[in-house]
Amino acid sequence: MSTSEAAVNGEPVGFSYENNALTWIKAPGTVSNGEDKGSILESDILAIIPTSTTPPAHTVYTIPTVSTPENTALPVPDVQLHQTTLLGAPEAFISKHLLSSPTPHLSLPAEDIHVVISSKSGTGKAAAFFESVLAPALKVLGLGEDGYQVVHTTSSETITELAGGTLREKAGRGVRQTVILLSGDGGVVELLNGLVGAEVSSTYARPSIALFPFGTGNALFHSTHRLPTPPSSPLYHALTTLLLPSSRPLPHFRATFSSASLLTSEGRIATPLPNNTLHGCIVASYGFHSTLVADSDTAELRKHGDKRFGIVAQELLGKPHRYKAGLTITSGGKERVVERETHAYILCALVSNLEKTFTISPHTTPLDEVMRVVHFDSGSGDEIMSVMTDAYSGGKHVNRNDGLVGYEEVEALKIDFKEAAVEGNEGKWLRVCVDGLIVRVESGGWMRVEKVANGGEVLDIIV
Ligand SMILES: Nc1ncnc2c1ncn2[C@@H]1O[C@H](COP(=O)(O)OP(=O)(O)OP(=O)(O)O)[C@@H](O)[C@H]1O
Protein backbone atom coordinates (compact mmCIF):
# COMPACT_ATOMS: atom_id res chain seq x y z
CA MET A 1 0.00 0.00 0.00
CA SER A 2 1.38 3.47 -0.91
CA THR A 3 0.47 6.70 0.92
CA SER A 4 3.02 9.28 -0.29
CA GLU A 5 1.16 11.89 -2.35
CA ALA A 6 -1.75 9.53 -2.85
CA ALA A 7 -5.21 11.03 -2.98
CA VAL A 8 -8.74 10.32 -4.21
CA ASN A 9 -10.82 13.37 -5.15
CA GLY A 10 -8.29 15.51 -3.23
CA GLU A 11 -8.38 13.51 0.02
CA PRO A 12 -5.19 11.69 1.15
CA VAL A 13 -5.47 7.89 1.00
CA GLY A 14 -3.46 4.68 0.87
CA PHE A 15 -4.02 2.57 -2.27
CA SER A 16 -3.90 -1.14 -2.89
CA TYR A 17 -4.43 -2.87 -6.23
CA GLU A 18 -5.39 -6.53 -6.30
CA ASN A 19 -8.17 -8.86 -7.47
CA ASN A 20 -9.07 -6.59 -10.40
CA ALA A 21 -9.93 -3.68 -8.12
CA LEU A 22 -8.24 -0.53 -6.87
CA THR A 23 -9.12 0.03 -3.21
CA TRP A 24 -8.16 2.79 -0.82
CA ILE A 25 -8.34 3.70 2.84
CA LYS A 26 -8.29 7.29 4.03
CA ALA A 27 -4.93 8.35 5.46
CA PRO A 28 -4.89 8.37 9.30
CA GLY A 29 -5.91 11.71 10.76
CA THR A 30 -7.94 12.79 7.68
CA VAL A 31 -11.10 14.59 8.66
CA SER A 32 -13.91 14.26 6.15
CA ASN A 33 -17.60 13.50 5.91
CA GLY A 34 -17.20 10.77 3.31
CA GLU A 35 -16.56 7.03 3.65
CA ASP A 36 -13.21 5.91 5.10
CA LYS A 37 -12.59 3.53 2.25
CA GLY A 38 -13.55 3.07 -1.37
CA SER A 39 -12.84 1.08 -4.49
CA ILE A 40 -13.00 1.01 -8.27
CA LEU A 41 -13.76 -2.29 -9.99
CA GLU A 42 -11.85 -2.79 -13.21
CA SER A 43 -14.99 -4.27 -14.73
CA ASP A 44 -16.64 -0.81 -14.45
CA ILE A 45 -13.87 1.25 -16.07
CA LEU A 46 -14.52 2.98 -19.37
CA ALA A 47 -11.21 4.86 -19.57
CA ILE A 48 -8.49 6.60 -17.59
CA ILE A 49 -7.34 10.02 -18.76
CA PRO A 50 -4.15 11.74 -17.48
CA THR A 51 -4.76 15.20 -16.03
CA SER A 52 -1.21 16.12 -14.93
CA THR A 53 2.23 14.53 -15.03
CA THR A 54 3.97 15.96 -11.95
CA PRO A 55 2.67 14.63 -9.70
CA PRO A 56 0.90 12.00 -11.83
CA ALA A 57 -2.83 12.63 -11.63
CA HIS A 58 -5.60 10.88 -13.55
CA THR A 59 -9.35 10.86 -13.92
CA VAL A 60 -10.97 7.44 -13.97
CA TYR A 61 -14.33 7.19 -15.73
CA THR A 62 -16.48 4.29 -14.61
CA ILE A 63 -19.91 2.99 -15.63
CA PRO A 64 -21.33 1.33 -12.51
CA THR A 65 -24.76 -0.30 -12.51
CA VAL A 66 -27.38 1.51 -10.44
CA SER A 67 -27.44 -0.84 -7.46
CA THR A 68 -31.13 -1.04 -6.52
CA PRO A 69 -32.57 -4.60 -6.49
CA GLU A 70 -35.27 -3.65 -9.05
CA ASN A 71 -32.64 -2.33 -11.45
CA THR A 72 -30.13 -5.15 -11.13
CA ALA A 73 -32.93 -7.66 -11.82
CA LEU A 74 -33.58 -6.13 -15.28
CA PRO A 75 -32.05 -7.84 -18.36
CA VAL A 76 -30.47 -4.48 -19.21
CA PRO A 77 -29.93 -2.59 -15.95
CA ASP A 78 -29.48 1.19 -15.92
CA VAL A 79 -25.95 2.51 -15.49
CA GLN A 80 -24.35 5.81 -14.50
CA LEU A 81 -21.18 7.62 -15.50
CA HIS A 82 -18.88 8.40 -12.56
CA GLN A 83 -15.57 10.15 -12.45
CA THR A 84 -12.89 9.86 -9.78
CA THR A 85 -9.69 11.86 -9.59
CA LEU A 86 -6.65 9.88 -8.50
CA LEU A 87 -3.24 11.16 -7.44
CA GLY A 88 -0.34 8.75 -7.19
CA ALA A 89 -2.37 5.61 -8.05
CA PRO A 90 -0.41 2.41 -8.83
CA GLU A 91 1.15 2.56 -12.30
CA ALA A 92 0.06 -1.01 -13.14
CA PHE A 93 -3.59 -0.04 -12.58
CA ILE A 94 -3.37 3.21 -14.54
CA SER A 95 -1.48 1.89 -17.56
CA LYS A 96 -3.95 -0.98 -18.07
CA HIS A 97 -6.87 1.39 -18.72
CA LEU A 98 -5.19 4.50 -20.09
CA LEU A 99 -7.02 5.75 -23.17
CA SER A 100 -4.39 5.71 -25.88
CA SER A 101 -4.91 5.95 -29.62
CA PRO A 102 -8.19 7.24 -31.05
CA THR A 103 -10.68 4.51 -31.83
CA PRO A 104 -11.37 3.82 -35.54
CA HIS A 105 -15.16 3.85 -35.25
CA LEU A 106 -15.14 7.27 -33.60
CA SER A 107 -12.34 8.74 -35.73
CA LEU A 108 -14.54 9.84 -38.61
CA PRO A 109 -15.86 13.24 -39.74
CA ALA A 110 -18.82 14.44 -37.65
CA GLU A 111 -21.19 14.02 -40.58
CA ASP A 112 -20.38 10.29 -40.76
CA ILE A 113 -21.03 9.38 -37.13
CA HIS A 114 -24.75 9.08 -36.33
CA VAL A 115 -26.24 8.58 -32.89
CA VAL A 116 -29.75 7.27 -33.45
CA ILE A 117 -32.13 7.41 -30.48
CA SER A 118 -35.29 5.36 -30.95
CA SER A 119 -37.86 7.02 -28.72
CA LYS A 120 -40.48 4.26 -28.77
CA SER A 121 -38.18 1.27 -28.28
CA GLY A 122 -38.55 -0.80 -25.11
CA THR A 123 -39.67 1.28 -22.15
CA GLY A 124 -38.40 4.52 -23.73
CA LYS A 125 -35.13 4.93 -21.81
CA ALA A 126 -32.78 5.65 -24.73
CA ALA A 127 -32.97 9.46 -24.68
CA ALA A 128 -32.22 9.71 -20.94
CA PHE A 129 -29.24 7.35 -21.35
CA PHE A 130 -27.91 9.48 -24.18
CA GLU A 131 -28.07 12.66 -22.09
CA SER A 132 -26.72 11.30 -18.83
CA VAL A 133 -24.25 8.62 -19.94
CA LEU A 134 -23.55 8.33 -23.65
CA ALA A 135 -22.92 11.98 -24.60
CA PRO A 136 -20.53 12.55 -21.64
CA ALA A 137 -18.86 9.17 -22.31
CA LEU A 138 -18.31 10.07 -25.97
CA LYS A 139 -16.70 13.29 -24.76
CA VAL A 140 -14.33 11.24 -22.59
CA LEU A 141 -13.50 9.19 -25.69
CA GLY A 142 -12.62 12.38 -27.56
CA LEU A 143 -15.91 13.09 -29.30
CA GLY A 144 -17.59 16.32 -28.23
CA GLU A 145 -21.17 17.23 -29.14
CA ASP A 146 -20.07 18.68 -32.46
CA GLY A 147 -18.33 15.41 -33.33
CA TYR A 148 -21.46 13.52 -34.44
CA GLN A 149 -25.03 13.83 -35.68
CA VAL A 150 -27.95 13.05 -33.38
CA VAL A 151 -31.19 11.64 -34.79
CA HIS A 152 -34.23 11.29 -32.51
CA THR A 153 -36.89 9.10 -34.12
CA THR A 154 -40.19 10.88 -34.68
CA SER A 155 -41.97 8.06 -36.51
CA SER A 156 -41.50 4.45 -37.49
CA GLU A 157 -40.03 5.75 -40.77
CA THR A 158 -37.16 7.81 -39.31
CA ILE A 159 -34.50 5.09 -39.31
CA THR A 160 -35.44 3.65 -42.71
CA GLU A 161 -35.28 7.14 -44.20
CA LEU A 162 -31.84 7.79 -42.72
CA ALA A 163 -30.60 4.46 -44.05
CA GLY A 164 -32.19 4.81 -47.49
CA GLY A 165 -30.87 8.38 -47.86
CA THR A 166 -27.51 9.52 -46.52
CA LEU A 167 -26.20 6.20 -45.26
CA ARG A 168 -26.89 4.31 -48.44
CA GLU A 169 -25.60 7.02 -50.76
CA LYS A 170 -22.33 7.42 -48.87
CA ALA A 171 -21.82 3.68 -48.35
CA GLY A 172 -22.13 3.26 -52.12
CA ARG A 173 -19.32 5.78 -52.57
CA GLY A 174 -17.09 3.89 -50.12
CA VAL A 175 -17.39 6.41 -47.25
CA ARG A 176 -16.90 4.80 -43.82
CA GLN A 177 -19.77 5.50 -41.42
CA THR A 178 -20.60 4.59 -37.81
CA VAL A 179 -24.14 4.32 -36.46
CA ILE A 180 -24.46 4.28 -32.68
CA LEU A 181 -27.93 2.78 -32.45
CA LEU A 182 -29.98 3.05 -29.26
CA SER A 183 -32.92 0.78 -30.04
CA GLY A 184 -34.21 -2.76 -30.03
CA ASP A 185 -34.13 -5.16 -32.93
CA GLY A 186 -36.61 -3.03 -34.89
CA GLY A 187 -34.04 -0.26 -35.35
CA VAL A 188 -31.58 -2.74 -36.84
CA VAL A 189 -34.07 -4.22 -39.29
CA GLU A 190 -35.12 -0.74 -40.36
CA LEU A 191 -31.47 0.17 -41.04
CA LEU A 192 -30.98 -3.08 -42.90
CA ASN A 193 -34.03 -2.60 -45.12
CA GLY A 194 -33.14 1.01 -45.87
CA LEU A 195 -29.68 -0.05 -47.02
CA VAL A 196 -30.43 -3.31 -48.69
CA GLY A 197 -31.33 -1.95 -52.10
CA ALA A 198 -27.84 -0.48 -52.30
CA GLU A 199 -25.65 -1.92 -54.99
CA VAL A 200 -23.05 -3.93 -53.09
CA SER A 201 -20.27 -2.90 -55.45
CA SER A 202 -16.53 -3.13 -54.99
CA THR A 203 -16.58 0.43 -53.58
CA TYR A 204 -19.42 -0.25 -51.06
CA ALA A 205 -18.32 0.40 -47.46
CA ARG A 206 -20.65 -1.32 -44.97
CA PRO A 207 -21.74 1.15 -42.27
CA SER A 208 -20.79 -0.18 -38.79
CA ILE A 209 -23.42 -0.33 -36.06
CA ALA A 210 -22.61 -0.08 -32.37
CA LEU A 211 -25.80 -1.47 -30.85
CA PHE A 212 -27.08 -0.27 -27.46
CA PRO A 213 -29.88 -2.60 -26.26
CA PHE A 214 -32.86 -0.31 -25.60
CA GLY A 215 -35.60 -2.56 -26.98
CA THR A 216 -37.61 -5.25 -25.25
CA GLY A 217 -36.08 -8.53 -26.45
CA ASN A 218 -32.82 -7.15 -27.88
CA ALA A 219 -32.25 -10.48 -29.62
CA LEU A 220 -29.36 -9.31 -31.78
CA PHE A 221 -27.48 -7.70 -28.90
CA HIS A 222 -27.86 -10.65 -26.55
CA SER A 223 -26.98 -13.14 -29.31
CA THR A 224 -23.89 -11.33 -30.52
CA HIS A 225 -22.56 -10.71 -27.00
CA ARG A 226 -23.30 -13.99 -25.25
CA LEU A 227 -19.90 -15.68 -25.68
CA PRO A 228 -17.77 -16.53 -23.77
CA THR A 229 -20.27 -15.38 -21.11
CA PRO A 230 -23.15 -12.89 -21.28
CA PRO A 231 -22.03 -9.47 -20.00
CA SER A 232 -23.39 -8.66 -16.54
CA SER A 233 -23.81 -5.03 -17.58
CA PRO A 234 -24.95 -4.90 -21.22
CA LEU A 235 -24.81 -1.09 -21.41
CA TYR A 236 -21.25 -0.98 -20.03
CA HIS A 237 -20.35 -3.67 -22.53
CA ALA A 238 -21.97 -1.71 -25.38
CA LEU A 239 -19.95 1.38 -24.43
CA THR A 240 -16.69 -0.55 -24.46
CA THR A 241 -17.42 -1.88 -27.97
CA LEU A 242 -16.91 1.70 -29.16
CA LEU A 243 -13.22 1.19 -28.39
CA LEU A 244 -12.88 -1.97 -30.48
CA PRO A 245 -10.69 -1.79 -33.57
CA SER A 246 -12.85 -3.75 -36.00
CA SER A 247 -16.35 -4.93 -36.88
CA ARG A 248 -17.93 -7.96 -38.56
CA PRO A 249 -20.44 -8.40 -41.40
CA LEU A 250 -24.03 -8.87 -40.24
CA PRO A 251 -25.62 -11.89 -41.99
CA HIS A 252 -29.18 -11.45 -43.23
CA PHE A 253 -32.04 -13.23 -44.99
CA ARG A 254 -34.60 -12.18 -47.56
CA ALA A 255 -38.29 -12.87 -46.92
CA THR A 256 -40.49 -12.68 -50.02
CA PHE A 257 -44.26 -12.97 -50.03
CA SER A 258 -47.00 -13.65 -52.56
CA SER A 259 -48.59 -10.49 -51.18
CA ALA A 260 -48.08 -8.82 -47.80
CA SER A 261 -48.52 -5.63 -45.79
CA LEU A 262 -46.57 -4.26 -42.87
CA LEU A 263 -48.80 -3.71 -39.84
CA THR A 264 -48.06 -0.70 -37.63
CA SER A 265 -49.88 1.40 -35.00
CA GLU A 266 -51.06 -1.65 -33.06
CA GLY A 267 -52.17 -3.33 -36.27
CA ARG A 268 -54.43 -0.48 -37.37
CA ILE A 269 -52.32 0.60 -40.35
CA ALA A 270 -51.44 -1.86 -43.12
CA THR A 271 -48.88 -0.65 -45.66
CA PRO A 272 -48.16 -2.88 -48.66
CA LEU A 273 -44.57 -4.13 -48.56
CA PRO A 274 -42.53 -2.73 -51.45
CA ASN A 275 -41.82 -5.63 -53.85
CA ASN A 276 -43.48 -7.90 -51.25
CA THR A 277 -40.03 -8.26 -49.76
CA LEU A 278 -38.52 -7.65 -46.32
CA HIS A 279 -35.01 -8.38 -45.10
CA GLY A 280 -34.13 -9.53 -41.62
CA CYS A 281 -31.08 -10.47 -39.61
CA ILE A 282 -32.78 -12.09 -36.61
CA VAL A 283 -35.91 -14.14 -37.07
CA ALA A 284 -38.82 -14.96 -39.36
CA SER A 285 -41.69 -16.79 -37.70
CA TYR A 286 -45.24 -17.98 -38.11
CA GLY A 287 -47.48 -19.34 -35.36
CA PHE A 288 -47.36 -18.87 -31.61
CA HIS A 289 -44.27 -16.62 -31.77
CA SER A 290 -45.58 -14.20 -34.41
CA THR A 291 -49.01 -13.92 -32.78
CA LEU A 292 -47.36 -13.32 -29.40
CA VAL A 293 -45.14 -10.53 -30.75
CA ALA A 294 -48.06 -8.95 -32.63
CA ASP A 295 -50.62 -9.10 -29.80
CA SER A 296 -48.15 -7.79 -27.21
CA ASP A 297 -47.15 -4.76 -29.28
CA THR A 298 -49.53 -2.24 -27.73
CA ALA A 299 -48.65 0.95 -25.89
CA GLU A 300 -50.40 -0.43 -22.81
CA LEU A 301 -48.54 -3.75 -22.75
CA ARG A 302 -45.18 -2.13 -23.66
CA LYS A 303 -45.22 -0.49 -20.20
CA HIS A 304 -44.50 -3.96 -18.78
CA GLY A 305 -41.15 -4.30 -20.58
CA ASP A 306 -40.30 -7.92 -21.46
CA LYS A 307 -43.11 -9.12 -19.14
CA ARG A 308 -45.52 -8.24 -21.96
CA PHE A 309 -44.63 -11.48 -23.72
CA GLY A 310 -45.54 -13.56 -20.64
CA ILE A 311 -48.86 -11.75 -20.19
CA VAL A 312 -49.98 -12.46 -23.77
CA ALA A 313 -48.50 -16.00 -23.77
CA GLN A 314 -50.85 -16.97 -20.94
CA GLU A 315 -53.86 -15.82 -22.96
CA LEU A 316 -52.75 -17.55 -26.15
CA LEU A 317 -51.88 -20.82 -24.44
CA GLY A 318 -55.27 -21.06 -22.74
CA LYS A 319 -56.60 -22.37 -26.05
CA PRO A 320 -53.66 -22.76 -28.44
CA HIS A 321 -54.34 -22.25 -32.12
CA ARG A 322 -53.04 -24.80 -34.61
CA TYR A 323 -51.96 -22.86 -37.68
CA LYS A 324 -52.93 -24.47 -40.99
CA ALA A 325 -49.98 -24.24 -43.34
CA GLY A 326 -47.59 -26.18 -45.52
CA LEU A 327 -43.90 -26.08 -44.60
CA THR A 328 -41.15 -26.79 -47.13
CA ILE A 329 -37.54 -26.81 -45.99
CA THR A 330 -34.49 -26.48 -48.23
CA SER A 331 -31.42 -28.00 -46.65
CA GLY A 332 -28.21 -29.32 -48.24
CA GLY A 333 -29.58 -28.19 -51.61
CA LYS A 334 -32.67 -30.45 -51.30
CA GLU A 335 -36.30 -29.47 -50.77
CA ARG A 336 -38.39 -31.43 -48.29
CA VAL A 337 -42.06 -31.01 -47.40
CA VAL A 338 -42.70 -31.41 -43.67
CA GLU A 339 -45.55 -33.89 -43.31
CA ARG A 340 -47.84 -31.96 -41.06
CA GLU A 341 -50.97 -29.96 -41.83
CA THR A 342 -51.00 -27.79 -38.74
CA HIS A 343 -48.25 -26.10 -36.74
CA ALA A 344 -47.87 -24.44 -33.37
CA TYR A 345 -44.49 -22.90 -34.10
CA ILE A 346 -42.32 -22.29 -37.16
CA LEU A 347 -39.34 -20.04 -36.54
CA CYS A 348 -36.15 -19.63 -38.50
CA ALA A 349 -33.35 -17.61 -36.97
CA LEU A 350 -29.90 -16.23 -37.64
CA VAL A 351 -29.37 -15.64 -33.92
CA SER A 352 -29.23 -17.86 -30.84
CA ASN A 353 -31.31 -15.77 -28.44
CA LEU A 354 -34.59 -13.92 -28.84
CA GLU A 355 -34.21 -12.47 -25.34
CA LYS A 356 -31.30 -12.52 -22.92
CA THR A 357 -32.37 -15.86 -21.42
CA PHE A 358 -34.47 -17.29 -24.27
CA THR A 359 -32.12 -19.45 -26.34
CA ILE A 360 -34.20 -20.54 -29.30
CA SER A 361 -31.22 -21.77 -31.38
CA PRO A 362 -28.48 -22.96 -29.02
CA HIS A 363 -26.20 -24.21 -31.83
CA THR A 364 -25.94 -20.75 -33.38
CA THR A 365 -22.70 -18.93 -32.62
CA PRO A 366 -22.53 -15.15 -33.11
CA LEU A 367 -22.66 -14.08 -36.77
CA ASP A 368 -22.04 -17.64 -37.96
CA GLU A 369 -24.01 -17.13 -41.21
CA VAL A 370 -26.10 -20.29 -40.61
CA MET A 371 -29.90 -20.13 -40.60
CA ARG A 372 -31.70 -22.68 -38.45
CA VAL A 373 -35.38 -23.55 -38.08
CA VAL A 374 -37.30 -24.68 -34.99
CA HIS A 375 -40.71 -26.17 -35.73
CA PHE A 376 -43.38 -28.24 -34.00
CA ASP A 377 -47.11 -28.76 -33.68
CA SER A 378 -49.14 -29.15 -30.52
CA GLY A 379 -52.66 -28.41 -29.39
CA SER A 380 -51.71 -28.42 -25.73
CA GLY A 381 -50.89 -25.17 -23.95
CA ASP A 382 -48.91 -27.10 -21.33
CA GLU A 383 -46.83 -28.83 -23.99
CA ILE A 384 -46.08 -25.58 -25.84
CA MET A 385 -45.20 -23.98 -22.49
CA SER A 386 -42.84 -26.83 -21.67
CA VAL A 387 -40.98 -26.24 -24.97
CA MET A 388 -40.73 -22.54 -24.16
CA THR A 389 -39.51 -23.32 -20.64
CA ASP A 390 -36.80 -25.56 -22.13
CA ALA A 391 -35.76 -22.69 -24.42
CA TYR A 392 -35.51 -20.47 -21.33
CA SER A 393 -33.25 -23.14 -19.80
CA GLY A 394 -30.37 -22.63 -22.21
CA GLY A 395 -32.06 -24.13 -25.29
CA LYS A 396 -32.88 -27.62 -23.95
CA HIS A 397 -35.92 -27.88 -26.26
CA VAL A 398 -33.66 -29.05 -29.10
CA ASN A 399 -32.58 -32.08 -27.02
CA ARG A 400 -36.03 -33.30 -25.97
CA ASN A 401 -36.41 -37.05 -26.31
CA ASP A 402 -40.11 -37.00 -27.26
CA GLY A 403 -39.43 -36.13 -30.91
CA LEU A 404 -41.76 -33.12 -30.72
CA VAL A 405 -39.39 -30.37 -31.83
CA GLY A 406 -37.67 -30.20 -35.23
CA TYR A 407 -34.39 -28.25 -35.29
CA GLU A 408 -32.22 -28.09 -38.38
CA GLU A 409 -29.95 -25.96 -40.53
CA VAL A 410 -31.68 -24.55 -43.60
CA GLU A 411 -30.77 -22.52 -46.64
CA ALA A 412 -34.40 -21.57 -47.22
CA LEU A 413 -37.94 -22.36 -46.17
CA LYS A 414 -41.37 -21.75 -47.60
CA ILE A 415 -44.66 -21.51 -45.77
CA ASP A 416 -47.95 -21.86 -47.66
CA PHE A 417 -50.70 -20.17 -45.64
CA LYS A 418 -53.90 -22.20 -45.52
CA GLU A 419 -55.78 -20.29 -42.81
CA ALA A 420 -59.00 -18.58 -43.84
CA ALA A 421 -59.30 -14.87 -43.03
CA VAL A 422 -61.32 -14.57 -39.80
CA GLU A 423 -64.38 -12.44 -40.22
CA GLY A 424 -64.25 -9.28 -38.08
CA ASN A 425 -60.58 -9.83 -37.28
CA GLU A 426 -59.05 -10.39 -40.68
CA GLY A 427 -55.68 -11.91 -40.49
CA LYS A 428 -55.58 -12.86 -36.78
CA TRP A 429 -53.92 -16.15 -37.76
CA LEU A 430 -52.28 -14.70 -40.84
CA ARG A 431 -49.52 -12.60 -39.30
CA VAL A 432 -45.83 -13.40 -39.53
CA CYS A 433 -43.00 -11.78 -37.61
CA VAL A 434 -39.79 -10.63 -39.29
CA ASP A 435 -37.29 -9.30 -36.75
CA GLY A 436 -40.11 -8.01 -34.52
CA LEU A 437 -42.01 -6.36 -37.38
CA ILE A 438 -45.48 -7.76 -38.06
CA VAL A 439 -46.48 -8.61 -41.60
CA ARG A 440 -49.99 -9.57 -42.63
CA VAL A 441 -50.03 -12.28 -45.25
CA GLU A 442 -52.91 -13.53 -47.40
CA SER A 443 -55.01 -16.63 -47.11
CA GLY A 444 -53.75 -18.99 -49.80
CA GLY A 445 -50.49 -17.02 -50.12
CA TRP A 446 -46.92 -17.89 -49.19
CA MET A 447 -43.70 -16.61 -47.60
CA ARG A 448 -40.25 -17.76 -48.69
CA VAL A 449 -37.25 -17.04 -46.46
CA GLU A 450 -33.76 -17.51 -47.83
CA LYS A 451 -30.37 -16.72 -46.41
CA VAL A 452 -28.52 -14.08 -48.44
CA ALA A 453 -25.17 -15.55 -49.47
CA ASN A 454 -21.95 -14.53 -47.70
CA GLY A 455 -20.60 -11.38 -49.30
CA GLY A 456 -24.09 -9.88 -49.73
CA GLU A 457 -24.04 -8.22 -46.29
CA VAL A 458 -24.82 -4.49 -46.23
CA LEU A 459 -24.05 -3.69 -42.57
CA ASP A 460 -21.25 -4.40 -40.11
CA ILE A 461 -21.74 -4.80 -36.39
CA ILE A 462 -19.12 -3.85 -33.85
CA VAL A 463 -18.68 -6.82 -31.49
N1 LIG B 1 -41.32 8.36 -32.37
C1 LIG B 1 -41.75 7.22 -32.89
N2 LIG B 1 -43.00 7.10 -33.38
C2 LIG B 1 -43.44 5.94 -33.89
N3 LIG B 1 -42.71 4.82 -33.96
C3 LIG B 1 -41.46 4.88 -33.49
C4 LIG B 1 -40.92 6.06 -32.94
N4 LIG B 1 -39.65 5.80 -32.54
C5 LIG B 1 -39.40 4.52 -32.83
N5 LIG B 1 -40.49 3.96 -33.40
C6 LIG B 1 -40.62 2.59 -33.85
O1 LIG B 1 -40.83 1.78 -32.72
C7 LIG B 1 -40.29 0.48 -32.97
C8 LIG B 1 -39.44 0.08 -31.79
O2 LIG B 1 -38.98 -1.19 -32.04
P1 LIG B 1 -37.68 -1.77 -31.37
O3 LIG B 1 -37.49 -3.11 -31.92
O4 LIG B 1 -36.56 -0.82 -31.48
O5 LIG B 1 -38.09 -1.89 -29.86
P2 LIG B 1 -38.83 -3.09 -29.15
O6 LIG B 1 -39.89 -3.64 -30.04
O7 LIG B 1 -39.20 -2.60 -27.81
O8 LIG B 1 -37.64 -4.12 -28.95
P3 LIG B 1 -37.27 -5.57 -29.51
O9 LIG B 1 -37.62 -5.61 -30.98
O10 LIG B 1 -35.80 -5.67 -29.27
O11 LIG B 1 -38.07 -6.54 -28.70
C9 LIG B 1 -39.48 0.58 -34.25
O12 LIG B 1 -40.19 0.00 -35.29
C10 LIG B 1 -39.35 2.08 -34.48
O13 LIG B 1 -39.29 2.46 -35.83
Side-chain angles (χ1 to χ4, degrees), residues 118-122 153-156 183-187 190 215-218 302 308 437:
S118 177
S119 53
K120 290 271 167 76
S121 295
T153 59
T154 50
S155 79
S156 57
S183 86
D185 298 315
E190 285 156 11
T216 308
N218 300 302
R302 274 184 169 274
R308 69 180 158 112
L437 301 179

Side-chain angles (χ1 to χ4, degrees), residues 211-269:
L211 184 58
F212 283 72
F214 277 100
T216 308
N218 300 302
L220 186 63
F221 181 91
H222 293 306
S223 296
T224 46
H225 296 282
R226 82 180 170 127
L227 299 175
T229 49
S232 58
S233 173
L235 292 176
Y236 166 81
H237 190 81
L239 280 162
T240 57
T241 62
L242 294 171
L243 301 169
L244 295 176
S246 57
S247 53
R248 291 175 59 190
L250 180 66
H252 71 272
F253 60 78
R254 182 187 307 108
T256 45
F257 302 85
S258 53
S259 174
S261 300
L262 188 64
L263 293 180
T264 50
S265 299
E266 304 189 5
R268 288 187 297 273
I269 301 177

Side-chain angles (χ1 to χ4, degrees), residues 31 42 73 75-76 79 96-97 103 115 120 144 159 208-209 220 228 240 251 331 364 399 446:
V31 182
E42 289 194 302
V76 180
V79 295
K96 201 163 159 193
H97 303 282
T103 72
V115 177
K120 290 271 167 76
I159 298 178
S208 299
I209 326 173
L220 186 63
T240 57
S331 183
T364 301
N399 297 324
W446 51 264

